[in-house]
Amino acid sequence: MNYSTPSPAGTRNTHAKASARFLERHPSTVVAAANMVAALVHAGLTVTLCVPWLVTAAVVLLFAAVVVDRRSGVRKTAALGATGAYVEGTVVLGQEVLPVWSAHIESSRQQMESAVGALTQRFAGIVDRLDQTLRSTSQHGEQGLASVFEHSSRELNGVLESLAAAMASNGAMNEQVQSLGRFTSELQAMAEEVANIAAQTNILAINAAIEAAHAGVEGRGFAVLAQEVRKLSSMSGEIGRRMTEKVRVIGDAIGAARLSAETSAKREAASVVTSDAAIKEVLDRFRSVTEGMEASAEAIKQQSAGIQAEIVEALVQLQFQDRVSQRMTHVRHNIERLPSLLADSRAHFDHSGVLAPIDARSLLAELEGSYAMADERVTHSARTGSTNVVATVAATAAPVEEVTFF
Amino acid sequence: MAKTIMIVDDSASLRQVVGISLRSAGYDVLEGCDGVDALKKLTGQKVHLIISDVNMPNMDGITLVSEVKKLAAYKFTPIVMLTTESADGKKAAGQAAGAKAWMLKPFNPPQLLSVVQKLVLP
């Protein structure tokens, strides 16, 4: 260290530089010392001491104090300006940024609610239609095809029975015709007997006429009687022949009718057999078709019921929207609280010049107080360190199904 | 004749899901979007059961229970709270107001129908 006596100006410069360095390192000490010296000077002690170097030092220190005071003022002003800008920034955050975040959250929530609502409505419409289809299919399945088949079967069997009855009736008529044939034979025999009797009566009348001729005049009346008897026998013979002729004609007609009836009966029998087979075949085909349709209807019914169950399950799963919507609303409300807290902080700063921290714990407590769902609380606890994340995930992934009866 | 059940919830999609479940089981369904709306629609007709959410705008579910219990026509109508709210305090409030059961969302339809069948009055 050089203790040689410097020139007064150089000494002052050296002292000033050293003082400036010291000031930069220990501004508060220097300020305090300067204040003390200033006070001493002010008290008039300088007159008593009257030491030149001390005066120089005091002047330097006073100068330094002024410099330091100015720098401190500048720094304080700069710091105050920065804090004010920070506070202004938080106010802008609260008034301009947070509402945008909040609006995005609410807009997303509303969009999701609207979309899920529309989706639910569509699904509900599908479920209703499927329900109507199922009811309709059940009714037609139970009353439609089965009843149509049964009705058709009854009707066609009725036709067959009518044909069989008609054939039986024709058979009875045929038997009656055949019995008429027997009567014609008897009538034929009777007519021939009448002819025989007429022939014998004619012979008897001829004999009577011969005898009357032998009797002469006395037998004349008897001859007239014999002649009349002969005429009657001739007429009886003629009637017998005509009867025989008519009976033959009737017999022929009856025979023809019997043949025709027999032919008709055979045709009808064949027709009934053919109809029976045709009806059975038609019914078999119809049964096959109806059974196929019933099987298809049953398959459609089961598929529809399955689809309906799947859609109902999907609708149940869409309940997530309600839960997500509630969580978003709770977070949004918490975000919307922040601008007023930031405004309060600014008001406090403006009033006192002191920047007080935001009460984040209070805000967190408000958020926690708004929770409705257990998984919200679990998530909150996990994020604030009181529950592990695995438990959180498990709790949010497996919603509780719980019913409490009072 | 089909029994009538009222579902009160501010979520339209949830009302629809509950409605489908109930209608498929043969019940008639009335809907209300909050407590005030539900009270407006309780006009003296027979309602066999009310299923209500808890957290709703205008009037919450627990207040709705208290108000329904003041109505002579619905004094004995059982009420089920169907809600995401799981806090014991809210449950106790629901019980004190006169609710018959507390069911947590998300529900499954068979479970809901089981609760309904237990509580629906003849």
Side-chain angles (χ1 to χ4, degrees):
Chain A
M1 187 176 282
N2 186 2
Y3 287 101
S4 61
T5 305
S7 65
T11 303
R12 280 197 298 275
N13 285 339
T14 306
H15 284 166
K17 286 179 183 173
S19 297
R21 280 199 299 276
F22 185 79
L23 278 170
E24 285 178 357
R25 289 171 188 168
H26 308 285
S28 58
T29 308
V30 173
V31 169
N35 285 338
M36 186 177 74
V37 170
L40 288 172
V41 169
H42 188 69
L45 288 177
T46 49
V47 177
T48 310
L49 293 172
C50 202
V51 178
W53 63 269
L54 188 58
V55 173
T56 305
V59 171
V60 169
L61 282 171
L62 276 171
F63 173 72
V66 171
V67 170
V68 167
D69 192 45
R70 279 189 180 171
R71 286 187 178 178
S72 176
V74 169
R75 282 180 183 167
K76 272 185 181 174
T77 305
L80 204 60
T83 308
Y86 172 78
V87 170
E88 185 59 31
T90 59
V91 170
V92 171
L93 176 74
Q95 289 180 347
E96 295 180 17
V97 180
L98 292 180
V100 175
W101 292 356
S102 178
H104 280 307
I105 289 174
E106 179 58 14
S107 171
S108 303
R109 192 193 67 76
Q110 285 180 0
Q111 281 180 21
M112 182 178 64
E113 186 172 346
S114 170
V116 171
L119 202 59
T120 306
Q121 205 161 11
R122 291 283 174 88
F123 277 156
I126 294 171
V127 168
D128 280 348
R129 287 184 184 182
L130 283 172
D131 195 46
Q132 286 172 6
T133 305
L134 281 172
R135 286 176 201 276
S136 171
T137 307
S138 297
Q139 284 174 354
H140 287 146
E142 289 167 5
Q143 297 174 5
L145 289 174
S147 67
V148 167
F149 177 78
E150 288 301 323
H151 181 72
S152 304
S153 180
R154 269 200 308 275
E155 289 290 317
L156 290 173
N157 283 325
V159 171
L160 274 180
E161 284 171 7
S162 297
L163 279 174
M167 205 177 74
S169 176
N170 284 346
M173 190 180 73
N174 194 22
E175 282 177 8
Q176 286 184 345
V177 169
Q178 281 182 349
S179 69
L180 284 177
R182 285 194 299 274
F183 287 127
T184 55
S185 299
E186 288 174 18
L187 283 171
Q188 184 77 30
M190 287 167 73
E192 284 175 359
E193 273 183 39
V194 168
N196 285 337
I197 290 169
Q200 286 174 8
T201 306
N202 190 34
I203 291 167
L204 192 61
I206 290 169
N207 286 332
I210 291 168
E211 289 299 327
H214 284 163
V217 177
E218 286 82 9
R220 208 177 282 168
F222 193 73
V224 171
L225 191 61
Q227 190 177 358
E228 288 304 316
V229 169
R230 198 179 165 192
K231 282 182 184 174
L232 286 173
S233 72
S234 178
M235 284 171 67
S236 297
E238 182 60 26
I239 287 171
R241 276 194 303 277
R242 284 168 60 194
M243 279 176 68
T244 302
E245 181 60 24
K246 292 295 180 190
V247 167
R248 190 186 57 77
V249 171
I250 289 169
D252 288 348
I254 288 172
R258 196 190 64 208
L259 279 175
S260 174
E262 281 176 359
T263 307
S264 174
K266 283 178 186 173
R267 273 205 304 269
E268 284 174 2
S271 174
V272 166
V273 169
T274 307
S275 300
D276 187 44
I279 286 172
K280 280 181 178 166
E281 192 178 339
V282 167
L283 284 175
D284 284 346
R285 285 182 185 174
F286 191 42
R287 184 193 298 277
S288 168
V289 169
T290 53
E291 283 177 354
M293 288 173 77
E294 279 180 350
S296 299
E298 182 60 27
I300 290 169
K301 189 176 159 185
Q302 287 182 357
Q303 288 291 330
S304 300
I307 292 167
Q308 192 182 36
E310 289 288 335
I311 293 174
V312 169
E313 179 59 27
L315 284 173
V316 170
Q317 294 302 322
L318 287 177
Q319 288 178 81
F320 86 91
Q321 179 268 329
D322 186 39
R323 301 171 67 80
V324 172
S325 176
Q326 286 195 44
R327 291 181 88 149
M328 290 171 87
T329 302
H330 295 153
V331 172
R332 181 172 61 82
H333 286 162
N334 203 238
I335 288 173
E336 286 171 354
R337 279 282 295 125
L338 197 50
S340 68
L341 292 179
L342 293 171
D344 290 347
S345 173
R346 184 196 180 166
H348 183 265
F349 176 76
D350 288 345
H351 181 258
S352 66
V354 175
L355 182 59
I358 302 283
D359 190 357
R361 289 187 192 285
S362 164
L363 198 62
L364 201 60
E366 280 183 29
L367 179 62
E368 189 174 14
S370 69
Y371 294 151
M373 295 172 282
D375 51 353
E376 280 182 304
R377 296 188 180 94
V378 173
T379 304
H380 184 99
S381 301
R383 297 303 301 174
T384 53
S386 55
T387 309
N388 67 49
V389 176
V390 175
T392 307
V393 172
T396 49
V400 182
E401 288 180 5
E402 190 184 323
V403 181
T404 308
F405 288 97
F406 301 133
Chain B
M1 191 174 169
K3 304 266 171 56
T4 301
I5 297 176
M6 173 177 261
I7 169 74
V8 188
D9 201 304
D10 55 327
S11 165
S13 59
L14 197 115
R15 289 200 304 275
Q16 281 188 327
V17 177
V18 175
I20 287 169
S21 304
L22 294 176
R23 286 189 192 97
S24 68
Y27 294 102
D28 285 340
V29 178
L30 276 176
E31 291 187 13
C33 63
D34 57 41
V36 173
D37 189 42
L39 288 174
K40 272 186 198 165
K41 288 176 179 170
L42 290 173
T43 54
Q45 78 277 39
K46 182 72 180 171
V47 174
H48 296 79
L49 180 77
I50 297 172
I51 299 171
S52 176
D53 190 14
V54 171
N55 298 311
M56 294 183 289
N58 300 322
M59 182 187 287
D60 66 82
I62 291 171
T63 309
L64 173 66
V65 176
S66 303
E67 293 300 317
V68 168
K69 294 297 167 189
K70 292 176 189 170
L71 303 174
Y74 303 103
K75 191 174 180 181
F76 299 107
T77 303
I79 304 176
V80 178
M81 310 311 295
L82 178 61
T83 175
T84 54
E85 181 62 71
S86 61
D88 289 338
K90 287 282 181 77
K91 268 191 193 179
Q95 184 179 11
K100 284 285 181 189
W102 192 277
M103 190 170 177
L104 283 183
K105 295 176 189 172
F107 73 96
N108 70 53
Q111 189 184 34
L112 177 70
L113 291 176
S114 162
V115 172
V116 167
Q117 282 159 9
K118 277 182 187 169
L119 294 177
V120 163
L121 296 174

